[in-house]
Every structure is written in structure tokens, then in C-alpha cells.
Amino acid sequence: MDPCTIRLSSQFPLLPAISLRRVSTHTSLPSVSHLRHFQRKRFNLEAGGGVRAQKFDEAAFEAERLSLDAAARESMAESSKRDEAEDDPKAWKWVIRKRIWDLLEARNFAQNPRPVHHRIPNFVGAAAAAQKLAELDVFRAARCVKVNPDSPQKQVRFLTLTGGKKLLTPQPRLRTGFFSVLDSSTLTPSTINEACTSVGVAKHGRPIGLDEKIEVDLIVIGSVAVDPTTGARLGKGEGFAELEYGMLRYMGAINDSTPVVTSIHDCQLVDDIPVEKLLIHDVPVDIICTPTQVFFTNTAIPKPQGIYWEKLSPEKLGQIRILRELKRRIEQETGQTLPCGPSEKLPPTAQRRR
């Protein structure tokens, strides 16, 4: 374990160790000020002091989301080329990712949004895989389920809400802040389906902060490739699943025993992820659901304990508001300055509408 992590944990034992080996060093994150308007400022004060509902602009929110998503995927594509050209230690991950993305497209196992490259790929049979996931004992017993916001897990989000559970989901790339909670008891049958989309989360979800007292019983995570024999997993390369995992550890919402499940197509199963090359931030999975099979990996790969600040560049930190808040809080509570990673040049963000 990193000495900085040991020092902070020992001097402030109530704080879980916060660690991050890598958040993608080249992927651009937009600032959050514009989109936060849609999620957090749906009400404004009238002159008389009352509260008046402000109409949620769904079209503007979705247009902005798609624009930023395209910019982020373009940055990831540049990052993968750069890593391969420079013989970066992470280049082997991009080789496996590209193989799976190409395979999904070539065999027409891919569903919209397409192409699936640089995404958590939506796949034919995603609903069937979600149904297998919903039949798991750990899902049936869960009261609160954290589910990634990607397209192939939309049916998982739907089954979570229709099953009377709380749904915890992050805003895509944490761009509007942090997580939102959706409670099925506050939704109607006509709004549950909408609540499973990015627009619906912003419209119907309740944003939470780091002080939220919440217990997550199950984590559903998107994947590009997974090894069913070891539980080793590759995401799309941005590192946000790991970042979200680390912050939930800080909040005390999860621990090592919290099951991590993924739903993928059968062709996303691989046997060539070298466990010895995984970094400490990589999140392994306990259960894999495909349209045809369920795998219990009994993974021996340690789960991340949090965020490794010495790997996080000041530029990256400057782009993620919730991370700055977490860093400030830990430094205030411990009386110590957290380490900072080396400076990096980040790609330009998408142009913002004003």
C-alpha cells in the first residue's frame, strides 16, 4: 500500500483509505456549471418568497449531453492512439477494448448508440442479461442498487425501480456533480421508464452530496471486457467507475463485501486480461450476467480502497468539482495536505453554449 495512504488512514482512522492509481490521463472533462443548471436549479424564488417550479428543458439538456459525450469519446480515441504510439504500459488495455468493439460491430451484436467504440457498448440481448441479473439473490435482497448510466444497463435501472428499490446512479462522467437517488415510491408508472434515462435522472432524481447517509447493497457496473475466471474487468478507459467506487468507499456506502455485478454480451467474455498488469484502482467483478449465462467469479483481485491522490493531476482535479470538495474535506479533517500527481496537458473541452 502507498505510504501516504497508510499515514492518512492511521492518523484519521474513521476515514477509509482514499486511493486512485489512474483516472484516464488524457480524457477531457467539461466544466459542470452549465449542466448543473438543469439538474439542481429546477426551482426559483418568486418575488413574494414562494417557490415556483421552473420548466425542465429536456431538449437542451440532451443536446448538451450528446455534445459533451462526443467530445469525450473523441478525446478517448486520441488517448488510445497516443498510448499505443508511445508504448504506454496501459496500451494493452486498448488492444483488448478495440478487439471487442470491432467484434460487436462486425457480428452486428451492437445496438444504438453506434458505433460502440469508446463506449460501454450497448448489445443485442441486453434486456435478457438484465433479467438474469434481476433473478440473482443479491439483487432480490438489495434495497439500494448503484447502476451505471450507460445504455446497456437501462433495463437494469428499470427493474431496480419497478422492483421497489432505490436507484443510485451517477450523472455521466460526473459532469453535473455527483450521484442522484431515485425512489420508486416518488415515481408514477408513466415516469419510471423516463427516469431510467440520463434526462430522466436529471428531471426526477434527487442529487446527493458526500454527506448523504446511504447504504448501497449492490453495484452494477458496465464493462467492455471481463474475464469470467478471474473477475478482471476493463471499462471504456476513462476511470469513472473506479472514481465513483472510491468516493462511495469514503462515504461508507460500500465495503469489500458489497457485490459488484456486470451485464455484458457473451462475446465480451475474454481470457487474456493479465491480472498482474492490473492497477490497484481497477474494480474486479464478482458476478457476470450475459444473455445466456451467469458466472460467479470468486475473484481474488483486491477491490480498490479509494482514491490515490498522488496520481491525480492538478488539471484533472480542476475539472471535477466533487473531487475538489472531497480533497478539501479530507485535508481539513486530517490537517494534512494530500499529495498531487504530476501536471498534464489535457485536451480542450467542448465549446459551451451560453
Side-chain angles (χ1 to χ4, degrees), residues 332-345:
Q332 186 177 47
E333 290 173 339
T334 63
Q336 298 187 41
T337 300
L338 288 171
C340 188
S343 183
E344 62 177 324
K345 182 179 180 181

Side-chain angles (χ1 to χ4, degrees), residues 29 40 45 60 76 91 97 105 112 115 151-152 178 198 200 206 215 229 248 260 277 286 294 349:
L29 268 177
R40 298 195 173 190
L45 293 177
M76 277 194 291
R97 291 180 182 117
E105 289 288 351
N112 287 328
S151 297
F178 194 28
S198 294
R206 176 176 65 85
E215 182 177 348
T229 62
L248 287 173
V260 178
K277 289 187 178 181
D286 300 294
V294 175
T349 58

Side-chain angles (χ1 to χ4, degrees), residues 75-180:
S75 293
M76 277 194 291
E78 294 173 0
S79 175
S80 66
K81 292 176 183 176
R82 193 158 39 233
D83 287 351
E84 291 176 11
E86 297 173 359
D87 196 26
D88 189 277
K90 301 182 295 293
W92 64 269
K93 292 186 175 182
W94 291 110
V95 172
I96 296 175
R97 291 180 182 117
K98 185 177 185 303
R99 187 182 79 220
I100 296 301
W101 287 324
D102 288 347
L103 183 62
L104 284 163
E105 289 288 351
R107 296 191 180 180
N108 209 31
F109 292 150
Q111 295 195 114
N112 287 328
R114 296 176 75 172
V116 294
H117 294 75
H118 303 289
R119 304 179 191 271
I120 296 297
N122 197 10
F123 57 91
V124 173
Q131 186 58 47
K132 286 193 176 296
L133 193 156
E135 293 168 1
L136 296 172
D137 289 342
V138 290
F139 181 87
R140 289 174 172 169
R143 293 165 296 177
C144 178
V145 184
K146 186 263 186 185
V147 186
N148 58 298
D150 302 283
S151 297
Q153 281 72 47
K154 180 181 178 181
Q155 184 67 8
V156 178
R157 298 190 293 275
F158 178 79
L159 292 170
T160 297
L161 290 174
T162 55
K165 307 174 189 299
K166 283 186 178 180
L167 171 65
L168 179 69
T169 189
Q171 285 297 309
R173 298 182 174 88
L174 302 178
R175 38 170 92 103
T176 57
F178 194 28
F179 289 93
S180 291

Side-chain angles (χ1 to χ4, degrees), residues 42 49 76 80-81 93 107 130 187 227 238 245 251 258 269 319 326 332:
R42 286 177 285 166
M76 277 194 291
S80 66
K81 292 176 183 176
K93 292 186 175 182
R107 296 191 180 180
L187 300 169
D227 187 330
E238 289 185 290
Y245 189 96
M251 294 169 66
T258 306
L269 296 167
Q319 290 183 331
L326 179 57
Q332 186 177 47

Side-chain angles (χ1 to χ4, degrees), residues 211-229:
D211 291 321
E212 185 81 11
K213 302 301 180 185
I214 190 167
E215 182 177 348
V216 176
D217 302 301
L218 180 67
I219 294 174
V220 180
I221 193 169
S223 304
V224 173
V226 190
D227 187 330
T229 62

